[in-house]
Amino acid sequence: MPELAGIWSPIRLTLALASITTLVLLILGTPIAWWLARSKSLWKEVVATLVALPLVLPPTVLGFYLLVALGPNGPGGWVAGRFGGHSLAFRFEGLVIGSVLYSLPFVVQPIRNAFEALGERPLEVAATLRASPWDAFWSVAVPLARPGFLTGTVLGFAHTVGEFGVVLMIGGNIPGETKVLSIAIYDYVETLQWAQAHLVAGGMLAFSFVVILTTFLLERRIGRAGTDALNHR
């Protein structure tokens, strides 16, 4: 469609951002969730609060401090300077950093809940079979926590796709670099291109519905498979 010829770049950029962010969130979020589920440390609730902070913090507040941190005079500027740049703000790499921080609780919390639901028994059984803590984690805890990983993956991906405030603050509106779908919709509305805005917004609405429905169906199937496996033991 001619009126949507310029939307493919934001679509590709959004999918790339959501995919990279979700992968990073799983790598970082899994050990954090495991520690929060198993630790007895006095700092546990402090760390849990920091992880959950983006849930209640206005996106503009988080975006502002990220803009300062990623700018030329912040740590992001120092890192960029090592690679010949002057800032991580208004760059795709900055969007990834902001998205990881903003979507962190949406991945950590479901995985933490899944780890906590395991209880001690499966790991104790693994220990009696001389499994090391590392082996028990990968062969027992992770497979049993699959619903939590599935929910965290879907929520992290979908939340990143729908971001607006944070990405606008730290990325601006640079075509091909930081202009994601949510910013494109804002542009269409601001320039009174209602037909284009309706099409893109409707597509994101349909995408969100399909993602959530698929998650529910997969969780139901995984739960049923787990129950059947227990019944056949």
Side-chain angles (χ1 to χ4, degrees), residues 133-148:
W134 182 258
D135 289 335
F137 174 77
W138 287 108
S139 62
V140 177
V142 170
L144 291 177
R146 281 184 302 171

Side-chain angles (χ1 to χ4, degrees), residues 21 23 28 30 34 37 44-45 51 102 121 125 130 134 138 147 153 171 177 179 185 187 195-196 217 222:
T21 298
L23 178 60
L28 296 179
T30 299
W34 179 252
K44 173 180 175 179
E45 297 309 323
V51 170
Y102 192 46
R121 182 62 179 168
V125 172
R130 298 183 178 180
W134 182 258
W138 287 108
T153 299
E177 181 73 21
K179 185 177 181 179
I185 295 175
D187 268 358
Q196 292 89 330
L217 293 176
I222 291 174

